[in-house]
């Protein structure tokens, strides 16, 4: 099995795991996945099926690399680096905030986890319209 087949197997397993969103944005009124909601599950699944994840941060890009530990094949997911300016925090705390957010978004992307509550809250009516105009399969 190659890295893509293993990653797909992990995605299917994670999405059927009945994972709960523990993050709550009270200001915007939506729930979201925190790293602690899914990272232990992903780590255990990857260990079982022979994958390893490596996160790195460069000046412009955050990268999540998934490596098949049996054959060395890999796939990468990237995201542009952001910034943070949290009130009352030191520079290193802002760096930590950015890295935490980047990790979360990279993992959510690579595991195809939907953030539907946020999307519905943010885009609301437009999502409902899209459902109506999508062709039936």
């Amino acid at each position: 099995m190659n890295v893509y087949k293993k990653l797909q197997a992990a995605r299917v397993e994670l999405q059927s795991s009945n994972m709960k969103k523990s993050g709550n944005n009270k200001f915007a009124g939506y729930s979201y996945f925190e790293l602690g909601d899914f990272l232990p599950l992903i780590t255990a699944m990857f260990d079982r099926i022979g994958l390893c994840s490596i996160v790195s941060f460069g000046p412009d890009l955050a990268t999540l690399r998934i490596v098949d530990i049996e054959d060395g094949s890999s796939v990468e997911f990237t995201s542009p680096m952001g910034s943070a300016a949290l009130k009352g925090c030191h520079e290193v705390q802002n760096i930590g905030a950015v890295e935490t957010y980047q990790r979360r978004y990279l993992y959510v992307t690579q595991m195809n986890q939907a953030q539907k509550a946020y999307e519905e809250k943010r885009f609301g009516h437009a999502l409902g319209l899209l459902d109506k105009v999508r062709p039936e399969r």
Side-chain angles (χ1 to χ4, degrees):
M1 209 179 337
N2 66 30
V3 68
Y4 296 104
K5 182 89 172 151
K6 290 179 178 182
L7 180 57
Q8 183 61 23
R11 286 174 172 169
V12 169
E13 186 176 334
L14 185 68
Q15 290 174 4
S16 65
S17 70
N18 201 24
M19 194 172 44
K20 303 290 184 211
K21 297 175 183 178
S22 68
N24 185 16
N25 185 320
K26 293 176 185 167
F27 177 75
Y30 64 89
S31 297
Y32 57 91
F33 292 119
E34 292 185 339
L35 278 172
D37 296 333
F38 56 82
L39 200 51
L41 295 169
I42 291 172
T43 302
M45 281 187 291
F46 279 16
D47 184 56
R48 189 173 58 259
I49 63 178
L51 293 175
C52 176
S53 60
I54 303 158
V55 178
S56 61
F57 305 99
D60 299 318
L61 284 178
T63 302
L64 172 60
R65 184 173 180 220
I66 309 299
V67 180
D68 183 324
I69 60 174
E70 294 169 0
D71 70 10
S73 62
S74 66
V75 60
E76 288 187 350
F77 299 86
T78 61
S79 177
M81 286 297 292
S83 62
L86 303 173
K87 294 179 183 177
C89 291
H90 296 281
E91 181 181 357
V92 73
Q93 290 171 303
N94 284 310
I95 292 168
V98 169
E99 290 178 352
T100 297
Y101 276 110
Q102 291 292 136
R103 285 178 65 210
R104 184 168 67 87
Y105 288 121
L106 286 167
Y107 276 104
V108 166
T109 298
Q110 67 98 20
M111 293 304 284
N112 286 339
Q113 289 299 306
Q115 294 285 305
K116 190 171 182 175
Y118 167 74
E119 292 166 356
E120 287 173 350
K121 185 75 175 176
R122 185 165 180 207
F123 304 110
H125 182 68
L127 284 176
L129 291 176
L130 283 176
D131 289 338
K132 292 177 183 173
V133 297
R134 286 188 183 129
E136 300 242 349
R137 294 182 188 195

